[in-house]
Amino acid sequence: MNSLGRPATPTEEPGMTSRWVAHDGGTAGLALALRRTGECVAIVTAQGADGSLVGARCAQPPALSETGAPALGWTLPGGEPGLQVFTHATHVALNFILEQDEVGADVARRFTGPRTDKFAPLAFEFGLGGAPLLERAVATFECENRPHGTADAEGRWLFTGLVRRYRQTG
């Protein structure tokens, strides 16, 4: 248990499968898992060096890079309050949430904008590097963070995460 009374490592839930990318035999399984998130919103989460938790809705859907180590590219709006934590975090989690019901829509809204209580009532556990893994996610990709530290022409900050493990429902 961690200081918040939650398990320190992810647990397997019924209907959830997990894979370490190093043992996956390539990116085929990873690409399939990412394709299944087409109707979801992506929420990126991380833990700061001081233990603070940050989360934000990605500015656009993450994209898989299959050249070299499997990696996901993602962006955040330039004014995102947690930007400093995301640029220094060792790991991030990309949590894909379906907005098809009221609960999923509420989770997605929590991570849009400058709210300070984004994690307050939500069930989550900690993954690699302490990144929060949201229980409502239909797929979660745990990544070693590789921030670019640059903004694109539209003011979005660019990040790359080397995918270390992922899990999905079904």
Side-chain angles (χ1 to χ4, degrees), residues 154-170:
E154 295 168 16
R156 297 176 298 214
W157 285 85
L158 310 172
F159 294 84
T160 300
L162 300 178
V163 181
R164 297 301 180 210
R165 83 177 155 197
Y166 65 97
R167 64 185 195 169
Q168 61 186 349
T169 57

PDB file of all heavy atoms in Angstrom, residues 154-170:
ATOM      1  N   GLU A 154       0.471  25.414 -33.281  1.00  0.00           N
ATOM      2  CA  GLU A 154      -0.798  25.731 -32.623  1.00  0.00           C
ATOM      3  C   GLU A 154      -0.653  25.869 -31.114  1.00  0.00           C
ATOM      4  O   GLU A 154      -1.639  25.942 -30.389  1.00  0.00           O
ATOM      5  CB  GLU A 154      -1.831  24.670 -32.994  1.00  0.00           C
ATOM      6  CG  GLU A 154      -2.145  24.693 -34.480  1.00  0.00           C
ATOM      7  CD  GLU A 154      -2.940  23.490 -34.944  1.00  0.00           C
ATOM      8  OE1 GLU A 154      -3.517  22.783 -34.093  1.00  0.00           O
ATOM      9  OE2 GLU A 154      -2.970  23.259 -36.157  1.00  0.00           O
ATOM     10  N   GLY A 155       0.575  25.878 -30.607  1.00  0.00           N
ATOM     11  CA  GLY A 155       0.814  26.069 -29.177  1.00  0.00           C
ATOM     12  C   GLY A 155       0.671  24.817 -28.329  1.00  0.00           C
ATOM     13  O   GLY A 155       0.674  24.887 -27.107  1.00  0.00           O
ATOM     14  N   ARG A 156       0.551  23.647 -28.950  1.00  0.00           N
ATOM     15  CA  ARG A 156       0.445  22.388 -28.199  1.00  0.00           C
ATOM     16  C   ARG A 156       1.852  21.871 -27.906  1.00  0.00           C
ATOM     17  O   ARG A 156       2.727  21.918 -28.771  1.00  0.00           O
ATOM     18  CB  ARG A 156      -0.331  21.347 -28.999  1.00  0.00           C
ATOM     19  CG  ARG A 156      -1.767  21.748 -29.266  1.00  0.00           C
ATOM     20  CD  ARG A 156      -2.447  20.731 -30.127  1.00  0.00           C
ATOM     21  NE  ARG A 156      -1.756  20.654 -31.416  1.00  0.00           N
ATOM     22  CZ  ARG A 156      -2.341  20.418 -32.572  1.00  0.00           C
ATOM     23  NH1 ARG A 156      -3.624  20.195 -32.623  1.00  0.00           N
ATOM     24  NH2 ARG A 156      -1.652  20.361 -33.678  1.00  0.00           N
ATOM     25  N   TRP A 157       2.063  21.370 -26.698  1.00  0.00           N
ATOM     26  CA  TRP A 157       3.366  20.814 -26.315  1.00  0.00           C
ATOM     27  C   TRP A 157       3.437  19.364 -26.756  1.00  0.00           C
ATOM     28  O   TRP A 157       2.498  18.588 -26.578  1.00  0.00           O
ATOM     29  CB  TRP A 157       3.586  20.945 -24.817  1.00  0.00           C
ATOM     30  CG  TRP A 157       3.912  22.359 -24.485  1.00  0.00           C
ATOM     31  CD1 TRP A 157       3.022  23.378 -24.260  1.00  0.00           C
ATOM     32  CD2 TRP A 157       5.207  22.932 -24.411  1.00  0.00           C
ATOM     33  NE1 TRP A 157       3.700  24.540 -24.049  1.00  0.00           N
ATOM     34  CE2 TRP A 157       5.047  24.301 -24.131  1.00  0.00           C
ATOM     35  CE3 TRP A 157       6.492  22.417 -24.561  1.00  0.00           C
ATOM     36  CZ2 TRP A 157       6.123  25.162 -23.984  1.00  0.00           C
ATOM     37  CZ3 TRP A 157       7.561  23.272 -24.400  1.00  0.00           C
ATOM     38  CH2 TRP A 157       7.375  24.625 -24.127  1.00  0.00           C
ATOM     39  N   LEU A 158       4.562  18.974 -27.339  1.00  0.00           N
ATOM     40  CA  LEU A 158       4.755  17.648 -27.920  1.00  0.00           C
ATOM     41  C   LEU A 158       5.506  16.741 -26.955  1.00  0.00           C
ATOM     42  O   LEU A 158       6.517  17.148 -26.376  1.00  0.00           O
ATOM     43  CB  LEU A 158       5.548  17.771 -29.221  1.00  0.00           C
ATOM     44  CG  LEU A 158       5.039  18.798 -30.224  1.00  0.00           C
ATOM     45  CD1 LEU A 158       6.026  18.940 -31.366  1.00  0.00           C
ATOM     46  CD2 LEU A 158       3.672  18.399 -30.730  1.00  0.00           C
ATOM     47  N   PHE A 159       5.031  15.529 -26.816  1.00  0.00           N
ATOM     48  CA  PHE A 159       5.650  14.532 -25.956  1.00  0.00           C
ATOM     49  C   PHE A 159       5.730  13.200 -26.692  1.00  0.00           C
ATOM     50  O   PHE A 159       4.931  12.934 -27.585  1.00  0.00           O
ATOM     51  CB  PHE A 159       4.823  14.308 -24.683  1.00  0.00           C
ATOM     52  CG  PHE A 159       4.762  15.487 -23.774  1.00  0.00           C
ATOM     53  CD1 PHE A 159       3.829  16.486 -23.981  1.00  0.00           C
ATOM     54  CD2 PHE A 159       5.624  15.599 -22.699  1.00  0.00           C
ATOM     55  CE1 PHE A 159       3.749  17.578 -23.131  1.00  0.00           C
ATOM     56  CE2 PHE A 159       5.552  16.685 -21.851  1.00  0.00           C
ATOM     57  CZ  PHE A 159       4.619  17.682 -22.073  1.00  0.00           C
ATOM     58  N   THR A 160       6.646  12.377 -26.280  1.00  0.00           N
ATOM     59  CA  THR A 160       6.720  10.995 -26.745  1.00  0.00           C
ATOM     60  C   THR A 160       6.886  10.124 -25.519  1.00  0.00           C
ATOM     61  O   THR A 160       7.653  10.442 -24.611  1.00  0.00           O
ATOM     62  CB  THR A 160       7.927  10.781 -27.685  1.00  0.00           C
ATOM     63  OG1 THR A 160       7.790  11.643 -28.809  1.00  0.00           O
ATOM     64  CG2 THR A 160       7.995   9.345 -28.159  1.00  0.00           C
ATOM     65  N   GLY A 161       6.177   9.030 -25.497  1.00  0.00           N
ATOM     66  CA  GLY A 161       6.308   8.063 -24.417  1.00  0.00           C
ATOM     67  C   GLY A 161       6.687   6.711 -24.993  1.00  0.00           C
ATOM     68  O   GLY A 161       6.002   6.198 -25.885  1.00  0.00           O
ATOM     69  N   LEU A 162       7.792   6.149 -24.512  1.00  0.00           N
ATOM     70  CA  LEU A 162       8.177   4.801 -24.929  1.00  0.00           C
ATOM     71  C   LEU A 162       7.287   3.819 -24.179  1.00  0.00           C
ATOM     72  O   LEU A 162       7.319   3.754 -22.949  1.00  0.00           O
ATOM     73  CB  LEU A 162       9.639   4.538 -24.606  1.00  0.00           C
ATOM     74  CG  LEU A 162      10.657   5.480 -25.258  1.00  0.00           C
ATOM     75  CD1 LEU A 162      12.072   5.121 -24.807  1.00  0.00           C
ATOM     76  CD2 LEU A 162      10.533   5.436 -26.763  1.00  0.00           C
ATOM     77  N   VAL A 163       6.482   3.071 -24.898  1.00  0.00           N
ATOM     78  CA  VAL A 163       5.500   2.179 -24.267  1.00  0.00           C
ATOM     79  C   VAL A 163       6.239   1.006 -23.620  1.00  0.00           C
ATOM     80  O   VAL A 163       6.971   0.282 -24.291  1.00  0.00           O
ATOM     81  CB  VAL A 163       4.455   1.677 -25.280  1.00  0.00           C
ATOM     82  CG1 VAL A 163       3.437   0.766 -24.590  1.00  0.00           C
ATOM     83  CG2 VAL A 163       3.768   2.841 -25.966  1.00  0.00           C
ATOM     84  N   ARG A 164       6.040   0.856 -22.321  1.00  0.00           N
ATOM     85  CA  ARG A 164       6.660  -0.237 -21.565  1.00  0.00           C
ATOM     86  C   ARG A 164       5.671  -1.357 -21.267  1.00  0.00           C
ATOM     87  O   ARG A 164       6.037  -2.523 -21.252  1.00  0.00           O
ATOM     88  CB  ARG A 164       7.292   0.283 -20.275  1.00  0.00           C
ATOM     89  CG  ARG A 164       8.412   1.247 -20.516  1.00  0.00           C
ATOM     90  CD  ARG A 164       9.480   0.570 -21.345  1.00  0.00           C
ATOM     91  NE  ARG A 164      10.601   1.453 -21.613  1.00  0.00           N
ATOM     92  CZ  ARG A 164      11.347   1.370 -22.691  1.00  0.00           C
ATOM     93  NH1 ARG A 164      11.101   0.467 -23.602  1.00  0.00           N
ATOM     94  NH2 ARG A 164      12.371   2.189 -22.865  1.00  0.00           N
ATOM     95  N   ARG A 165       4.434  -0.999 -21.011  1.00  0.00           N
ATOM     96  CA  ARG A 165       3.388  -2.021 -20.856  1.00  0.00           C
ATOM     97  C   ARG A 165       2.047  -1.367 -21.111  1.00  0.00           C
ATOM     98  O   ARG A 165       1.892  -0.161 -21.019  1.00  0.00           O
ATOM     99  CB  ARG A 165       3.477  -2.713 -19.505  1.00  0.00           C
ATOM    100  CG  ARG A 165       2.856  -2.052 -18.352  1.00  0.00           C
ATOM    101  CD  ARG A 165       2.977  -2.906 -17.094  1.00  0.00           C
ATOM    102  NE  ARG A 165       2.907  -2.018 -15.957  1.00  0.00           N
ATOM    103  CZ  ARG A 165       3.270  -2.306 -14.763  1.00  0.00           C
ATOM    104  NH1 ARG A 165       3.786  -3.489 -14.488  1.00  0.00           N
ATOM    105  NH2 ARG A 165       3.154  -1.432 -13.783  1.00  0.00           N
ATOM    106  N   TYR A 166       1.096  -2.216 -21.454  1.00  0.00           N
ATOM    107  CA  TYR A 166      -0.256  -1.735 -21.687  1.00  0.00           C
ATOM    108  C   TYR A 166      -1.233  -2.787 -21.222  1.00  0.00           C
ATOM    109  O   TYR A 166      -0.911  -3.959 -21.073  1.00  0.00           O
ATOM    110  CB  TYR A 166      -0.478  -1.373 -23.164  1.00  0.00           C
ATOM    111  CG  TYR A 166      -0.396  -2.538 -24.126  1.00  0.00           C
ATOM    112  CD1 TYR A 166      -1.540  -3.195 -24.559  1.00  0.00           C
ATOM    113  CD2 TYR A 166       0.829  -2.970 -24.619  1.00  0.00           C
ATOM    114  CE1 TYR A 166      -1.472  -4.244 -25.446  1.00  0.00           C
ATOM    115  CE2 TYR A 166       0.913  -4.014 -25.505  1.00  0.00           C
ATOM    116  CZ  TYR A 166      -0.227  -4.656 -25.920  1.00  0.00           C
ATOM    117  OH  TYR A 166      -0.156  -5.710 -26.789  1.00  0.00           O
ATOM    118  N   ARG A 167      -2.436  -2.324 -20.952  1.00  0.00           N
ATOM    119  CA  ARG A 167      -3.504  -3.248 -20.583  1.00  0.00           C
ATOM    120  C   ARG A 167      -4.790  -2.752 -21.204  1.00  0.00           C
ATOM    121  O   ARG A 167      -4.941  -1.566 -21.487  1.00  0.00           O
ATOM    122  CB  ARG A 167      -3.620  -3.394 -19.076  1.00  0.00           C
ATOM    123  CG  ARG A 167      -4.007  -2.141 -18.344  1.00  0.00           C
ATOM    124  CD  ARG A 167      -3.974  -2.375 -16.850  1.00  0.00           C
ATOM    125  NE  ARG A 167      -4.664  -1.315 -16.166  1.00  0.00           N
ATOM    126  CZ  ARG A 167      -4.990  -1.344 -14.904  1.00  0.00           C
ATOM    127  NH1 ARG A 167      -4.658  -2.379 -14.151  1.00  0.00           N
ATOM    128  NH2 ARG A 167      -5.616  -0.349 -14.343  1.00  0.00           N
ATOM    129  N   GLN A 168      -5.691  -3.688 -21.445  1.00  0.00           N
ATOM    130  CA  GLN A 168      -6.959  -3.345 -22.078  1.00  0.00           C
ATOM    131  C   GLN A 168      -8.047  -4.280 -21.593  1.00  0.00           C
ATOM    132  O   GLN A 168      -7.765  -5.380 -21.124  1.00  0.00           O
ATOM    133  CB  GLN A 168      -6.832  -3.428 -23.601  1.00  0.00           C
ATOM    134  CG  GLN A 168      -6.477  -4.812 -24.089  1.00  0.00           C
ATOM    135  CD  GLN A 168      -6.208  -4.855 -25.576  1.00  0.00           C
ATOM    136  OE1 GLN A 168      -6.466  -3.909 -26.283  1.00  0.00           O
ATOM    137  NE2 GLN A 168      -5.726  -5.968 -26.052  1.00  0.00           N
ATOM    138  N   THR A 169      -9.286  -3.820 -21.724  1.00  0.00           N
ATOM    139  CA  THR A 169     -10.403  -4.673 -21.360  1.00  0.00           C
ATOM    140  C   THR A 169     -10.732  -5.573 -22.533  1.00  0.00           C
ATOM    141  O   THR A 169     -10.385  -5.278 -23.672  1.00  0.00           O
ATOM    142  CB  THR A 169     -11.646  -3.833 -20.993  1.00  0.00           C
ATOM    143  OG1 THR A 169     -11.966  -2.984 -22.082  1.00  0.00           O
ATOM    144  CG2 THR A 169     -11.409  -3.022 -19.746  1.00  0.00           C
ATOM    145  N   GLY A 170     -11.435  -6.641 -22.226  1.00  0.00           N
ATOM    146  CA  GLY A 170     -11.900  -7.545 -23.282  1.00  0.00           C
ATOM    147  C   GLY A 170     -10.809  -8.343 -23.800  1.00  0.00           C
ATOM    148  O   GLY A 170     -10.420  -8.700 -24.760  1.00  0.00           O
TER     149      GLY A 170
END
